[in-house]
Amino acid sequence: MADTDLNATTLTVTITEALSIGHDTAADARDFAQVCTHTYASILNTSKRIFKLPNSNLNKLISFGTTIADGVFLRADVRYIRVTNLDGTAALQVGLDDGASDAAYTSVAANSSIMYTGVTCEGDNDGTTLDNATALKVKGIADQQIEVFIASV
């Protein structure tokens, strides 16, 4: 029999910021370029999906839990999430929600992304206790497209 086991590998995420501010005197020009690289070890499972929002309501795109079920990612295994707003003009609200009393939402500009390195959230302004998220939710305009990439062990 053939060996068909998959082997875990490392996900490398690199963020490149390129900014050079010129000056009339070349010696006074400023370079603010930076490259940040982070690695996530033992990645074995990935999911990459494009969603088209059916309406402008709050929509649950991804579920997180403690047991395997249809469409549910194991919360403890998720290492990296990237949500990209594919729309060229409209912003998108993206957040993690614990399904009870806490949620953390932010606005993602057109043609931009947000990354999460865990699935916890806090809705109180004191930030003392992070709760386990049960869902990734978004709110945008009807027919807005979103790409979600998830890497887990």
PDB file of all heavy atoms in Angstrom, residues 82-96:
ATOM      1  N   ARG A  82      -7.076  34.722   8.195  1.00  0.00           N
ATOM      2  CA  ARG A  82      -6.991  35.968   7.424  1.00  0.00           C
ATOM      3  C   ARG A  82      -8.345  36.182   6.750  1.00  0.00           C
ATOM      4  O   ARG A  82      -8.866  35.292   6.086  1.00  0.00           O
ATOM      5  CB  ARG A  82      -5.906  35.927   6.360  1.00  0.00           C
ATOM      6  CG  ARG A  82      -5.875  37.221   5.519  1.00  0.00           C
ATOM      7  CD  ARG A  82      -4.897  37.166   4.357  1.00  0.00           C
ATOM      8  NE  ARG A  82      -4.882  35.943   3.596  1.00  0.00           N
ATOM      9  CZ  ARG A  82      -5.761  35.619   2.647  1.00  0.00           C
ATOM     10  NH1 ARG A  82      -6.763  36.413   2.363  1.00  0.00           N
ATOM     11  NH2 ARG A  82      -5.638  34.473   1.979  1.00  0.00           N
ATOM     12  N   VAL A  83      -8.908  37.366   6.940  1.00  0.00           N
ATOM     13  CA  VAL A  83     -10.151  37.755   6.279  1.00  0.00           C
ATOM     14  C   VAL A  83      -9.813  38.921   5.358  1.00  0.00           C
ATOM     15  O   VAL A  83      -9.285  39.935   5.813  1.00  0.00           O
ATOM     16  CB  VAL A  83     -11.234  38.177   7.293  1.00  0.00           C
ATOM     17  CG1 VAL A  83     -12.509  38.592   6.570  1.00  0.00           C
ATOM     18  CG2 VAL A  83     -11.506  37.058   8.291  1.00  0.00           C
ATOM     19  N   THR A  84     -10.101  38.766   4.068  1.00  0.00           N
ATOM     20  CA  THR A  84      -9.808  39.807   3.088  1.00  0.00           C
ATOM     21  C   THR A  84     -11.106  40.328   2.487  1.00  0.00           C
ATOM     22  O   THR A  84     -11.923  39.552   2.003  1.00  0.00           O
ATOM     23  CB  THR A  84      -8.893  39.273   1.966  1.00  0.00           C
ATOM     24  OG1 THR A  84      -7.667  38.826   2.556  1.00  0.00           O
ATOM     25  CG2 THR A  84      -8.592  40.343   0.931  1.00  0.00           C
ATOM     26  N   ASN A  85     -11.274  41.637   2.539  1.00  0.00           N
ATOM     27  CA  ASN A  85     -12.408  42.306   1.915  1.00  0.00           C
ATOM     28  C   ASN A  85     -12.057  42.483   0.443  1.00  0.00           C
ATOM     29  O   ASN A  85     -11.185  43.270   0.097  1.00  0.00           O
ATOM     30  CB  ASN A  85     -12.642  43.660   2.599  1.00  0.00           C
ATOM     31  CG  ASN A  85     -13.783  44.437   1.990  1.00  0.00           C
ATOM     32  OD1 ASN A  85     -14.449  43.984   1.069  1.00  0.00           O
ATOM     33  ND2 ASN A  85     -14.003  45.629   2.512  1.00  0.00           N
ATOM     34  N   LEU A  86     -12.730  41.749  -0.434  1.00  0.00           N
ATOM     35  CA  LEU A  86     -12.422  41.793  -1.860  1.00  0.00           C
ATOM     36  C   LEU A  86     -13.137  42.924  -2.590  1.00  0.00           C
ATOM     37  O   LEU A  86     -12.894  43.138  -3.777  1.00  0.00           O
ATOM     38  CB  LEU A  86     -12.778  40.450  -2.512  1.00  0.00           C
ATOM     39  CG  LEU A  86     -12.017  39.239  -1.977  1.00  0.00           C
ATOM     40  CD1 LEU A  86     -12.545  37.956  -2.607  1.00  0.00           C
ATOM     41  CD2 LEU A  86     -10.525  39.375  -2.206  1.00  0.00           C
ATOM     42  N   ASP A  87     -14.007  43.641  -1.891  1.00  0.00           N
ATOM     43  CA  ASP A  87     -14.741  44.737  -2.516  1.00  0.00           C
ATOM     44  C   ASP A  87     -13.810  45.931  -2.739  1.00  0.00           C
ATOM     45  O   ASP A  87     -12.955  46.227  -1.900  1.00  0.00           O
ATOM     46  CB  ASP A  87     -15.921  45.152  -1.629  1.00  0.00           C
ATOM     47  CG  ASP A  87     -16.888  46.041  -2.377  1.00  0.00           C
ATOM     48  OD1 ASP A  87     -17.799  45.496  -3.018  1.00  0.00           O
ATOM     49  OD2 ASP A  87     -16.715  47.281  -2.342  1.00  0.00           O
ATOM     50  N   GLY A  88     -13.996  46.625  -3.847  1.00  0.00           N
ATOM     51  CA  GLY A  88     -13.131  47.745  -4.187  1.00  0.00           C
ATOM     52  C   GLY A  88     -13.533  49.072  -3.576  1.00  0.00           C
ATOM     53  O   GLY A  88     -12.764  50.032  -3.626  1.00  0.00           O
ATOM     54  N   THR A  89     -14.744  49.148  -2.978  1.00  0.00           N
ATOM     55  CA  THR A  89     -15.183  50.432  -2.431  1.00  0.00           C
ATOM     56  C   THR A  89     -15.775  50.350  -1.029  1.00  0.00           C
ATOM     57  O   THR A  89     -15.639  51.294  -0.263  1.00  0.00           O
ATOM     58  CB  THR A  89     -16.235  51.084  -3.359  1.00  0.00           C
ATOM     59  OG1 THR A  89     -17.332  50.176  -3.533  1.00  0.00           O
ATOM     60  CG2 THR A  89     -15.645  51.418  -4.723  1.00  0.00           C
ATOM     61  N   ALA A  90     -16.452  49.272  -0.686  1.00  0.00           N
ATOM     62  CA  ALA A  90     -17.182  49.201   0.585  1.00  0.00           C
ATOM     63  C   ALA A  90     -16.330  48.602   1.699  1.00  0.00           C
ATOM     64  O   ALA A  90     -15.609  47.626   1.505  1.00  0.00           O
ATOM     65  CB  ALA A  90     -18.451  48.361   0.424  1.00  0.00           C
ATOM     66  N   ALA A  91     -16.441  49.200   2.891  1.00  0.00           N
ATOM     67  CA  ALA A  91     -15.788  48.634   4.078  1.00  0.00           C
ATOM     68  C   ALA A  91     -16.578  47.420   4.551  1.00  0.00           C
ATOM     69  O   ALA A  91     -17.714  47.178   4.127  1.00  0.00           O
ATOM     70  CB  ALA A  91     -15.723  49.682   5.182  1.00  0.00           C
ATOM     71  N   LEU A  92     -15.981  46.667   5.447  1.00  0.00           N
ATOM     72  CA  LEU A  92     -16.571  45.436   5.963  1.00  0.00           C
ATOM     73  C   LEU A  92     -16.366  45.405   7.472  1.00  0.00           C
ATOM     74  O   LEU A  92     -15.283  45.733   7.954  1.00  0.00           O
ATOM     75  CB  LEU A  92     -15.857  44.234   5.326  1.00  0.00           C
ATOM     76  CG  LEU A  92     -16.245  42.846   5.775  1.00  0.00           C
ATOM     77  CD1 LEU A  92     -17.642  42.488   5.269  1.00  0.00           C
ATOM     78  CD2 LEU A  92     -15.230  41.823   5.249  1.00  0.00           C
ATOM     79  N   GLN A  93     -17.398  45.041   8.221  1.00  0.00           N
ATOM     80  CA  GLN A  93     -17.240  44.829   9.656  1.00  0.00           C
ATOM     81  C   GLN A  93     -16.918  43.357   9.875  1.00  0.00           C
ATOM     82  O   GLN A  93     -17.617  42.484   9.362  1.00  0.00           O
ATOM     83  CB  GLN A  93     -18.522  45.195  10.408  1.00  0.00           C
ATOM     84  CG  GLN A  93     -18.847  46.655  10.381  1.00  0.00           C
ATOM     85  CD  GLN A  93     -20.163  46.937  11.087  1.00  0.00           C
ATOM     86  OE1 GLN A  93     -20.541  46.258  12.025  1.00  0.00           O
ATOM     87  NE2 GLN A  93     -20.858  47.950  10.616  1.00  0.00           N
ATOM     88  N   VAL A  94     -15.858  43.074  10.617  1.00  0.00           N
ATOM     89  CA  VAL A  94     -15.413  41.702  10.870  1.00  0.00           C
ATOM     90  C   VAL A  94     -15.193  41.538  12.360  1.00  0.00           C
ATOM     91  O   VAL A  94     -14.634  42.424  13.013  1.00  0.00           O
ATOM     92  CB  VAL A  94     -14.091  41.386  10.131  1.00  0.00           C
ATOM     93  CG1 VAL A  94     -13.638  39.965  10.401  1.00  0.00           C
ATOM     94  CG2 VAL A  94     -14.228  41.631   8.643  1.00  0.00           C
ATOM     95  N   GLY A  95     -15.596  40.390  12.898  1.00  0.00           N
ATOM     96  CA  GLY A  95     -15.364  40.186  14.313  1.00  0.00           C
ATOM     97  C   GLY A  95     -15.501  38.768  14.779  1.00  0.00           C
ATOM     98  O   GLY A  95     -16.049  37.902  14.090  1.00  0.00           O
ATOM     99  N   LEU A  96     -14.964  38.539  15.974  1.00  0.00           N
ATOM    100  CA  LEU A  96     -15.124  37.272  16.679  1.00  0.00           C
ATOM    101  C   LEU A  96     -16.215  37.475  17.722  1.00  0.00           C
ATOM    102  O   LEU A  96     -16.259  38.507  18.390  1.00  0.00           O
ATOM    103  CB  LEU A  96     -13.806  36.865  17.347  1.00  0.00           C
ATOM    104  CG  LEU A  96     -12.658  36.547  16.392  1.00  0.00           C
ATOM    105  CD1 LEU A  96     -11.374  36.318  17.189  1.00  0.00           C
ATOM    106  CD2 LEU A  96     -12.976  35.341  15.527  1.00  0.00           C
TER     107      LEU A  96
END
